[in-house]
Amino acid sequence: MQKVKLPHSVEPVKSAMKRSDYRGVMASKDMVRLNEAVVRCDDWVDVEVQFEKDAQGLTVFHGNLSTEVTLICQRCNGELSQPLDVNFCFSPVQGNENESDDALPEAYEPVEVDDHGEVSLLHLFEDELILSLPIVALHAEEDCAISQDDMTFGEIEPEQERENPFAVLKELKRDQE
Ligand SMILES: [Zn+2]
């Protein structure tokens, strides 16, 4: 089956009027920051996204992203496959409309549109995928080259040793809300 490539940018309000419904893929090679955060990523990110007006007349777009990345296990340093599966629900806001921002239902994540009313789906989806990466990648115990028994000597506590490099991104997102 041919893979339909999604546009990198959309005008959510227009798309919602047309009740656009996309099912397709984005090339992960275009997601530079995601690629830097993982050993490798599947070539394609599967995307489903639906644009619509909700009962209150607010523009929303929601859907799902899925792909698979390869990470390094923090216990044995071997590679591990990590499926990513993210659900999202965004509502576009203009830069200065703080009031309308407050009025957004909690389930909607505000996303700023640019001067042309456009949103970069590529960057938005890339951020979502990066945020969904585990803070500490570890094999399931039975799959790991280093067993729990071997660890009694080393006492590795990866959660404390390694700071999530994307904590900053999370902070930024929180500030926007
Ligand atoms: Zn491991």
Side-chain angles (χ1 to χ4, degrees):
M1 201 181 101
Q2 183 155 15
K3 295 186 189 269
V4 181
K5 283 196 199 167
L6 258 75
H8 283 185
S9 287
V10 291
E11 290 179 67
V13 175
K14 265 193 195 168
S15 300
M17 308 253 239
K18 289 190 286 188
R19 299 184 56 83
S20 297
D21 194 348
Y22 294 105
R23 251 160 245 267
V25 291
M26 278 187 171
S28 69
K29 67 174 166 48
D30 296 328
M31 300 183 174
V32 178
R33 288 169 300 132
L34 176 66
N35 276 290
E36 283 170 0
V38 300
V39 179
R40 346 178 239 283
C41 185
D42 272 8
D43 289 345
W44 303 105
V45 177
D46 291 310
V47 183
E48 277 186 39
V49 54
Q50 198 174 348
F51 293 82
E52 60 190 3
K53 295 270 185 195
D54 73 358
Q56 293 181 62
L58 290 168
T59 298
V60 287
F61 57 103
H62 54 88
N64 175 269
L65 309 170
S66 67
T67 189
E68 191 163 295
V69 295
T70 302
L71 302 170
I72 294 292
C73 171
Q74 298 301 302
R75 193 157 47 208
C76 70
N77 282 326
E79 294 190 347
L80 105 129
S81 290
Q82 174 80 40
L84 302 180
D85 187 60
V86 185
N87 292 313
F88 58 85
C89 183
F90 291 104
S91 185
V93 294
Q94 290 286 350
N96 325 329
E97 287 176 27
N98 281 326
E99 296 126 41
S100 68
D101 213 273
D102 292 338
L104 279 186
E106 226 168 276
Y108 298 176
E109 209 174 323
V111 57
E112 225 172 280
V113 297
D114 68 12
D115 295 342
H116 308 289
E118 289 190 359
V119 164
S120 166
L121 290 183
L122 180 71
H123 291 147
L124 195 61
F125 292 165
E126 183 179 15
D127 284 350
E128 288 298 305
L129 291 170
I130 290 173
L131 287 171
S132 77
L133 292 172
I135 292 172
V136 179
L138 289 175
H139 283 121
E141 231 161 84
E142 61 271 23
D143 300 330
C144 196
I146 295 181
S147 72
Q148 201 62 258
D149 301 338
D150 297 331
M151 285 183 54
T152 42
F153 293 100
E155 272 311 308
I156 304 169
E157 289 185 41
E159 286 88 353
Q160 287 164 17
E161 281 177 8
R162 230 175 124 251
E163 208 174 309
N164 179 4
F166 302 107
V168 178
L169 194 54
K170 271 192 182 131
E171 291 287 318
L172 282 175
K173 279 192 79 158
R174 203 170 302 133
D175 288 348
Q176 282 170 12
E177 279 166 22

